[in-house]
Amino acid sequence: MRPRHLYNAVFAWLVFSGGRFTAPFLEEVAGFDDTLTGLALAIQFGLASLLNPVMGYRADQLEMKHPHRGRCFALAFGMTLATAAFMMHGVVCRVLGQGTMAVFAHMFLRVVISVGWASVMPVLDGLTLAYMEEKGLGRSEYGKERVYGVLGWGVASLILGPFIDRFGFPVMFWFAPLSLLWSIITIVVFSKESARIAHATHQISVSEATPLNTSRKGAIDSGVEIEEKPSLCSLLGILFGSSLAAGYIVSSIALSMGTSIVNNLIFLFFRELGGSNTVCGLTVVVTVLFEVPIFQMAPQLLQRFGVVGLQELACLAYITRVLGYTFIPQHKVLLVLLLEPLHGVTYAFAKTSGVEFVAELAPKGYDASCQGLLASFLGLGSVIGLSLGGWAQDALGAKSMYRLYAGVVALGLIVLTLVTRQREVVVKKAPEHEDNELEHDSSIHSHSESVVSSVEVEC
């Protein structure tokens, strides 16, 4: 069994326990308005972003003590906790109805859900990267595993939409635990099979499963001295080891601000245009149809455009898409299907770029920790985006809000582009004896591995 099976099960669970239907779920079940919905999601993503590196770090430590079980346990625990909290929304509705106490109760449940979610994505990405390293696969193969999550997300959305139209949002209280059960079974089977294969092939010994040497073969020293067991602070220093890396993160935060309102509030806009939940689910399928080939082509795309190039293209696709939304007339919601493919471009490019960016810098054995740190910065963008987005949608209207966030993402894109161009100028003016190093550094724009080299040169 490969990580692709985990992605498929986990992403189906994400849909059935909320997914893009979370915002309309909160408005229908909890009685929230747009402002409260944005605030609830901002709190959820904010806390998750703070806990992502902590949970990832803890999962890495568990994996070192219990090879092939530690990260799997952390993943299963997070999903179970989040599902239990999601189910409690139904209990709150029955016991408290709708009122001030109910609002606080629903908000508290989103907090608990965020704790569970913090143990999901960074751990899953870290587990996948570790698997590929053990099997001798290149990190550029990540997209071919990740694409199965996209398929799970799309199929689950297509199934859930018509069920919500027919039975209402409470039907999710049936789908969530069933999808959790399937996910747990998948995690257990993956854990046992991974351990069996590792033992049979003698590829991993106990000493190799608890590495003290944090160097990564093929990676260049970031210029930051790494401890025998690096702390979160030292890992943070590695990620911010150069101006180019810092510019990349700034762009990622800006893009995260923009994508947060699309991922969490867009169904409210589609319903405002007259769309049903079935149509909402169909829009997800359209995005998936474009994400699948992009993830499959991830190695070639990284080779062609590099980490920075993919990030820039992701930003451009986002800006084009949300500006297009603002020109769609009322009761013409099906026109959004012409723009939804651009979300597949934005998500697949940004995800592929981000994972490779962190993977090049992460010390051996700390993949989940560093992925969690990047998730924290993306979570920061989500918090800011959703906090302002819910209010802006109430006060200014959805179309004005999307134009505003197109400007925010454009600003992040400008920062990244300026930093990249500055690096290219430095390369051209560098003394002859520094040419080799700086040329390698500047090539981040066209080759993924040079993210690390940029850190080395500046440090």
Side-chain angles (χ1 to χ4, degrees):
M1 180 176 285
R2 297 171 64 99
R4 60 185 57 176
H5 301 101
L6 295 179
Y7 276 112
N8 187 267
V10 169
F11 271 72
W13 167 80
L14 285 172
V15 172
F16 290 133
S17 59
R20 284 201 187 181
F21 290 99
T22 299
F25 169 85
L26 290 175
E27 294 202 349
E28 292 287 336
V29 175
F32 285 8
D33 59 16
D34 289 348
T35 301
L36 276 177
T37 298
L39 179 61
L41 292 173
I43 292 173
Q44 175 180 324
F45 284 102
L47 184 57
S49 67
L50 291 175
L51 293 177
N52 273 328
V54 177
M55 294 300 191
Y57 189 81
R58 179 56 180 161
D60 288 336
Q61 296 294 325
L62 284 174
E63 185 69 14
M64 291 178 183
K65 294 180 180 178
H66 310 285
H68 303 289
R69 290 179 295 166
R71 290 192 182 110
C72 289
F73 173 80
L75 179 61
F77 170 80
M79 295 178 67
T80 302
L81 179 63
T83 303
F86 177 79
M87 299 296 291
M88 288 299 295
H89 279 299
V91 176
V92 170
C93 289
R94 288 182 176 274
V95 175
L96 299 179
Q98 293 186 358
T100 303
M101 289 298 296
V103 169
F104 281 108
H106 286 300
M107 288 286 191
F108 173 75
L109 291 177
R110 302 319 295 185
V111 169
V112 178
I113 289 173
S114 70
V115 176
W117 276 20
S119 298
V120 177
M121 290 314 301
V123 174
L124 184 55
D125 286 338
L127 189 152
T128 303
L129 291 171
Y131 173 90
M132 291 191 295
E133 185 172 345
E134 290 176 1
K135 300 299 182 183
L137 302 173
R139 287 187 300 273
S140 59
E141 297 293 315
Y142 165 83
K144 295 183 178 180
E145 300 297 319
R146 179 65 173 71
V147 70
Y148 285 81
V150 173
L151 292 172
W153 179 269
V155 172
S157 297
L158 188 62
I159 293 172
L160 187 57
F163 271 91
I164 293 176
D165 283 335
R166 176 66 178 84
F167 301 103
F169 282 95
V171 74
M172 297 174 71
F173 296 132
W174 291 94
F175 277 106
L178 290 175
S179 60
L180 172 68
L181 178 61
W182 174 247
S183 298
I184 296 297
I185 292 173
T186 305
I187 292 170
V188 171
V189 173
F190 177 84
S191 176
K192 290 185 176 180
E193 188 167 326
S194 297
R196 179 183 61 80
I197 294 175
H199 178 75
T201 58
H202 301 283
Q203 291 182 343
I204 299 177
S205 65
V206 174
S207 61
E208 290 173 331
T210 55
L212 293 179
N213 179 10
T214 57
S215 62
R216 180 187 292 274
K217 182 178 180 181
I220 300 176
D221 185 11
S222 65
V224 178
E225 184 176 351
I226 302 175
E227 307 163 17
E228 194 173 72
K229 290 187 177 181
S231 64
L232 288 176
C233 290
S234 63
L235 294 176
L236 183 63
I238 293 172
L239 292 186
F240 276 96
S242 74
S243 61
L244 185 54
Y248 181 91
I249 292 177
V250 168
S251 172
S252 296
I253 292 174
L255 183 59
S256 180
M257 290 176 62
T259 55
S260 68
I261 61 168
V262 170
N263 292 338
N264 296 284
L265 303 180
I266 193 62
F267 280 6
L268 299 180
F269 177 58
F270 290 166
R271 286 154 65 96
E272 183 181 310
L273 292 176
S276 64
N277 290 300
T278 300
V279 171
C280 290
L282 181 61
T283 63
V284 177
V285 175
V286 173
T287 67
V288 165
L289 292 177
F290 281 79
E291 288 176 28
V292 169
I294 292 174
F295 277 120
Q296 284 288 344
M297 296 170 58
Q300 294 83 1
L301 291 171
L302 278 168
Q303 187 68 28
R304 174 65 180 85
F305 298 105
V307 170
V308 171
L310 288 182
Q311 178 70 9
E312 290 174 334
L313 290 172
C315 292
L316 288 173
Y318 175 87
I319 294 168
T320 304
R321 178 193 181 198
V322 297
L323 287 178
Y325 284 155
T326 65
F327 295 100
I328 295 177
Q330 189 73 17
H331 303 302
K332 299 291 184 179
V333 67
L334 290 180
L335 291 178
V336 303
L337 297 178
L338 299 177
L339 296 170
E340 288 308 279
L342 291 174
H343 176 73
V345 175
T346 296
Y347 181 77
F349 277 21
K351 186 64 178 178
T352 301
S353 174
V355 169
E356 180 67 16
F357 167 76
V358 174
E360 284 290 345
L361 299 176
K364 182 178 176 64
Y366 289 87
D367 302 276
S369 303
C370 289
Q371 294 294 337
L373 283 172
L374 179 62
S376 291
F377 291 113
L378 300 183
L380 173 63
S382 296
V383 171
I384 299 172
L386 288 168
S387 297
L388 297 177
W391 169 83
Q393 186 158 310
D394 266 339
L396 306 176
K399 293 185 177 181
S400 296
M401 176 190 67
Y402 285 118
R403 288 169 183 156
L404 172 65
Y405 278 88
V408 171
V409 175
L411 183 60
L413 174 60
I414 290 171
V415 171
L416 178 60
T417 302
L418 289 176
V419 172
T420 304
R421 297 297 177 264
Q422 183 183 31
R423 298 297 303 169
E424 291 177 350
V425 171
V426 170
V427 170
K428 291 179 181 178
K429 295 182 178 181
E432 187 173 336
H433 70 276
E434 295 179 358
D435 280 351
N436 290 337
E437 284 186 331
L438 288 174
E439 282 178 12
H440 191 52
D441 174 49
S442 66
S443 65
I444 183 176
H445 196 60
S446 61
H447 193 279
S448 60
E449 289 188 357
S450 54
V451 173
V452 182
S453 64
S454 70
V455 176
E456 180 193 31
V457 171
E458 291 221 347
C459 291

